[in-house]
Amino acid sequence: MPEHCALLTVDTIESGGTRPEHLGTIPHLVETIVAEASREVGLAEDVHRNGQFGGDGFLRAYPSQYLPALIHLVASIDALLIGHNLSAKPEIRLRIALHLGPLPAEFGLYRPNIDVCRLLEADEFHALVKHWRSSLPADRFTTALILSDDAHRAVFGGDYTRAITRHDFGPMNIKHKEFDQKAWVRIAGVNPAQLTEPPRETPPNSSGPVDDKRSAGHSISNSGGNQGIQIAGDRNHVERQPRQVHVTNYTGENNYGISAGQINGSVNYNTPESR
């Protein structure tokens, strides 16, 4: 049986929108940043194999023992991209996928190669990246990492990482073509709990101005007994008597409703009629 390998694939986010004069520099920039990050985490240049040029990214295979180092590699890439994007063009942001599987030594197309690409290209992952790309400040968004469940269980089954831990990932179900598995996602700068939150619904905007003919100065006068209840309001008068408090509340401006847990006494809601 072939030895297990850690497969790393990298793709540049929104490279198609790069200005034409910068487009040709992207592959070199990505290679340079990844090479520098690799040196920082102790990954030698000749340790990987199955390198494939992908236009604005690449696919590489490493011996499985380097999987923790590849997790640390992403943290180093984050720091390098922050520095690069603050001082140079074009700005670079990366989608990264990591997988673990048996890979023959001979160069070719194998299931692990396909699976790591399915992770990277999954619609669910693309949608999440697009959402946070538009939500985060530009200087905070650097990388989006998706980890297969096999790789996640292998690297976090022991105490192998420091810069990035299991707590930085949120679960995601990926179904892309024939690939249908659980995966784990980390987006730099995003709380992992937010990765699985449903999108918040935005209240519908009013289609036009409201025609409100009620006068803008009516008031509400409340009176009644309140046992130990503190009442807050505008121009309130509080008079303490034995075992109870008498309160008169006044609230100006427009008031169209009253909310209370329990009222003992009377409530007068007097509104002048519209003219």
Side-chain angles (χ1 to χ4, degrees), residues 13-14 78 81-82 85 91-95 128-144 187-190:
I13 297 171
E14 298 176 350
D78 286 330
L81 287 180
I82 289 173
N85 292 343
E91 295 182 7
I92 303 293
R93 296 172 180 85
L94 300 176
R95 283 197 318 274
L128 195 66
V129 170
K130 182 178 179 181
H131 168 73
W132 287 107
R133 174 69 182 92
S134 62
S135 300
L136 287 176
D139 60 344
R140 286 182 56 194
F141 191 98
T142 52
T143 63
I187 295 180
V190 179

Side-chain angles (χ1 to χ4, degrees), residues 54-69:
D56 57 1
F58 57 79
L59 169 63
R60 294 175 179 172
Y62 296 77
S64 59
Q65 65 263 32
Y66 290 101
L67 181 58

Side-chain angles (χ1 to χ4, degrees), residues 22-33:
H22 297 311
L23 194 59
T25 66
I26 289 179
H28 174 70
L29 283 171
V30 173
E31 290 278 358
T32 300
I33 289 168

Side-chain angles (χ1 to χ4, degrees), residues 31-249:
E31 290 278 358
T32 300
I33 289 168
V34 174
E36 185 173 348
S38 297
R39 288 191 294 270
E40 289 182 356
V41 300
L43 283 170
E45 181 63 26
D46 59 352
V47 76
H48 68 81
R49 61 183 174 87
N50 282 16
Q52 297 181 20
F53 177 70
D56 57 1
F58 57 79
L59 169 63
R60 294 175 179 172
Y62 296 77
S64 59
Q65 65 263 32
Y66 290 101
L67 181 58
L70 292 173
I71 299 290
H72 292 154
L73 177 75
V74 177
S76 294
I77 289 174
D78 286 330
L80 291 170
L81 287 180
I82 289 173
H84 169 82
N85 292 343
L86 286 173
S87 60
K89 297 294 181 183
E91 295 182 7
I92 303 293
R93 296 172 180 85
L94 300 176
R95 283 197 318 274
I96 301 172
L98 274 169
H99 181 43
L100 186 68
L103 194 68
E106 297 78 17
F107 184 86
L109 183 64
Y110 302 104
R111 186 75 254 166
N113 299 44
I114 296 171
D115 287 346
V116 74
C117 292
R118 295 288 188 256
L119 286 167
L120 191 72
E121 297 301 329
D123 291 340
E124 298 90 342
F125 186 44
H126 274 259
L128 195 66
V129 170
K130 182 178 179 181
H131 168 73
W132 287 107
R133 174 69 182 92
S134 62
S135 300
L136 287 176
D139 60 344
R140 286 182 56 194
F141 191 98
T142 52
T143 63
L145 169 63
I146 185 167
L147 196 63
S148 72
D149 194 48
D150 291 334
H152 185 273
R153 284 186 284 106
V155 74
F156 295 125
D159 189 20
Y160 302 127
T161 63
R162 292 290 185 274
I164 295 176
T165 71
R166 68 170 70 246
H167 305 294
D168 296 310
F169 291 84
M172 171 176 281
N173 292 321
I174 297 295
K175 188 171 184 179
H176 183 53
K177 297 184 178 179
E178 78 292 337
F179 187 89
D180 187 0
Q181 293 182 23
K182 183 179 182 179
W184 299 84
V185 177
R186 170 197 180 261
I187 295 180
V190 179
N191 186 318
Q194 294 178 282
L195 297 175
T196 54
E197 288 181 353
R200 297 180 180 179
E201 294 184 2
T202 303
N205 294 326
S206 176
S207 58
V210 177
D211 184 13
D212 190 350
K213 296 182 179 180
R214 284 173 284 195
S215 61
H218 71 273
S219 64
I220 303 173
S221 177
N222 300 333
S223 63
N226 296 274
Q227 298 282 347
I229 299 175
Q230 182 180 358
I231 306 295
D234 182 21
R235 286 160 52 181
N236 293 333
H237 173 71
V238 179
E239 179 184 353
R240 294 188 174 274
Q241 294 184 3
R243 302 194 61 183
Q244 65 179 356
V245 180
H246 286 282
V247 181
T248 298
N249 289 347

